[in-house]
Amino acid sequence: MLPLITPSTPLHTCRCKTPFGMLRLGCSDDDLLFCEFERSSHRQAVSDRILQFTGRAFREVPVKSDGILHETARQLAEYFDGRRRHFDLPLGFIGTDFERSVWEAILDIPFGHLDTCTELATSLGRPQSASAVGRAAWQSPFSVIVPLHRLLGHYWRPEEREGEWRTFRTLLTLEGARPACRPDDAQDLLDIFL
């Protein structure tokens, strides 16, 4: 279900410092709507999609002035300190039905495990859709929180998002990642990351 945003719904954004750079967070009264690294080449596409959906811009606020933003920053700090393995946040997925189903499935990949787009597509009942799953995953507006770094696929193009690749590798190392899929299917992909 898409988040309910009316013309009077406040939309807030803030910056959140992490060991890997600044994250930009955005929320409505009820949902976190995005969490993207500021240096991400993907950030503008996320901003454009959110603006198209909401029809207006976000207001910059201090992180502690908004309950959802403050809680997100707190949980992110716990994750980066090694004290949190999953997030418990109200996520407002702005995307197609298929994209939202992919993002929800990515949330189910356990901390420290790796999976492939093929395995995820199969779990969604669409075993021939690995490329579509990869493209949908790449559209996620939630860095770290929707753990895209745990999903491996041949659709990755490191030259397009070099900063994200470095961050993915670091997050995988932080989690002590190991493949949940068959090792022979993932070994060439693991070599890319680790």
Side-chain angles (χ1 to χ4, degrees):
M1 172 180 279
L2 289 170
L4 177 63
I5 298 176
T6 67
S8 63
T9 302
L11 299 175
H12 296 149
T13 186
C14 73
R15 298 173 78 208
C16 176
K17 188 175 180 179
T18 77
F20 307 111
M22 296 300 282
L23 281 168
R24 173 66 59 181
L25 309 177
C27 71
S28 66
D29 274 347
D30 300 316
D31 297 301
L32 184 67
L33 299 175
F34 63 89
C35 172
E36 277 291 320
F37 283 100
E38 287 193 336
R39 69 177 185 275
S40 169
S41 58
H42 183 239
R43 194 167 79 82
Q44 189 58 51
V46 168
S47 296
D48 292 346
R49 178 181 277 203
I50 302 285
L51 182 61
Q52 181 180 10
F53 180 79
T54 63
R56 57 203 166 91
F58 286 70
R59 185 170 64 91
E60 185 82 27
V61 298
V63 69
K64 290 186 177 183
S65 70
D66 182 283
I68 291 174
L69 297 177
H70 186 254
E71 180 61 16
T72 301
R74 186 185 71 75
Q75 289 189 28
L76 284 163
E78 289 176 354
Y79 170 82
F80 289 119
D81 286 344
R83 296 179 288 129
R84 177 172 289 275
R85 291 176 162 250
H86 67 277
F87 296 92
D88 184 23
L89 297 164
L91 302 179
F93 289 142
I94 297 175
T96 66
D97 290 342
F98 179 68
E99 287 171 336
R100 291 192 313 269
S101 71
V102 169
W103 302 338
E104 288 170 3
I106 294 170
L107 287 170
D108 292 334
I109 301 172
F111 179 93
H113 285 77
L114 300 173
D115 216 336
T116 66
C117 290
T118 301
E119 293 291 323
L120 195 64
T122 300
S123 76
L124 291 170
R126 299 180 70 163
Q128 302 301 316
S129 300
S131 292
V133 164
R135 285 189 299 277
W138 209 234
Q139 297 304 314
S140 169
F142 295 99
S143 292
V144 183
I145 293 170
V146 172
L148 185 57
H149 57 279
R150 297 177 193 157
L151 183 65
L152 303 173
H154 287 290
Y155 63 89
W156 297 121
R157 293 185 178 93
E159 68 277 5
E160 290 179 6
R161 291 178 71 170
E162 179 57 35
E164 287 88 345
W165 278 80
R166 285 190 301 269
T167 301
F168 284 4
R169 284 191 302 265
T170 305
L171 293 173
L172 291 170
T173 301
L174 174 78
E175 294 185 8
R178 58 191 181 283
C181 51
R182 293 187 315 271
D184 56 325
D185 289 342
Q187 189 55 54
D188 58 331
L189 298 169
L190 285 171
D191 291 342
I192 293 170
F193 283 100
L194 304 174

